[in-house]
Amino acid sequence: MRVEGGFIVINKWLLPFSWLYGLGVKLRNMAFELGILKTRSFDVPIISVGNITVGGTGKTPHVEYLVRHLKDLFHVAVLSRGYKRKSKGFIRATKETTMPEIGDEPYQMKQKFPDVTVAVDKSRCHGIEELTDNDKGLDVILLDDAFQHRYVKPGINILLVDYHRLIIYDALLPAGRLREPLSGKDRADVVIVTKCPKDLKPMEFRVITKAMNLYPYQSLYFTCLEYGDLQPIFEGDSRPLGSLRKDERVLLLTGIASPEQMLHDLEPYTKQVTPLTFADHHQFDSKDIQRINETFEQLAEPRCIITTEKDATRLHHAEGLSEEVRKNIYTLPVHIHFLLEQEDTFNQYIIGYVRKNSRNSILAKAKDDHKPKNSDHPGDRPRTISFRNN
């Protein structure tokens, strides 16, 4: 599957293989529904963030949003699989933990939030046990990229859907990018359409809401990406994104699943963007470093390199970057912003769930005055407008 001109293109000749793949996924899901495969609940609030597609939907910025929102009120832990890490088993990150030990995304979060517990474990159940057994004051665990990890039953299941690849128009692997049938979205308590245009029209909100066909117990939100100031990786001062000159050559260096959004978002600042794209979570070797140096050297001045925070964790310790590259390479921090003035509603829902279900009942009672009112969900969710076709 590919995207052309804003439309999802399905490789129809692969649909028979998608049918076989879908059969396997349905059997697995059925095994969980029948209790053949066991799903575990835990006595600590757990919020899962994930998707049902291959490719980036903005998981890391959304997990970081939750961390920022909760860390001043609660003792928060983030548990990830630690994709492509060079270690095994459970690891609780410290200030001395290296990126290869825990993976680029957990390392990024630990660097940005040093006081927040960050851990990795391929077995999420074992990871939760390790966290809760060794930290009785833990208030909430955020599961990164765990929507399909059905061995854990979270209190809130958040499904992220890329606005540019809406799952309702997609197909199963390998013809499309769905990792499970569209019915998998029914497990979500919250669906967030991510990477939306900031000027999304009200009519389009209504069209997407109807097309998503959610149940009454599900809430639908819309978010877009916002960028902070450019931050130097090695030396120099930060600079506003708006400081880019129209004639400034930018080498956009990415090793993420979906760099197209960044490329699009840089267009208002400069038309002189040269993309240098690697695979998601790519580990830069000596040949890659040489290619980066040579590509940057070919750009006329003024020039700079912009990369993602995740890529910066892998580039920071890379050997062989030229002095010019080191002086002119910046990360572009990404944050999410809720559209439709939905932020307060979402925040109240999350805080209400954690406070009501915290293991520390005294703390939960003391903070009860902030709990959202008039909700009918165990997590005290304020309802947002959503409806399902009959």
Side-chain angles (χ1 to χ4, degrees), residues 263-280:
L263 187 62
H264 176 270
D265 292 341
L266 286 175
E267 288 180 356
Y269 301 95
T270 176
K271 300 295 183 182
Q272 309 292 331
V273 179
T274 300
L276 184 56
T277 305
F278 296 88
D280 195 16

Side-chain angles (χ1 to χ4, degrees), residues 151-198:
Y151 293 99
V152 176
K153 182 174 179 58
I156 296 178
N157 221 355
I158 299 177
L159 174 65
L160 304 182
V161 177
D162 188 342
Y163 166 85
H164 302 283
R165 278 199 313 267
L166 292 175
I167 57 177
I168 50 179
Y169 305 124
D170 211 336
L172 282 169
L173 290 167
R177 291 198 178 185
L178 291 182
R179 294 190 289 187
E180 65 175 288
L182 184 59
S183 59
K185 69 181 174 63
D186 297 344
R187 299 197 307 274
D189 301 292
V190 172
V191 178
I192 302 179
V193 180
T194 69
K195 302 182 181 180
C196 295
K198 294 181 181 179

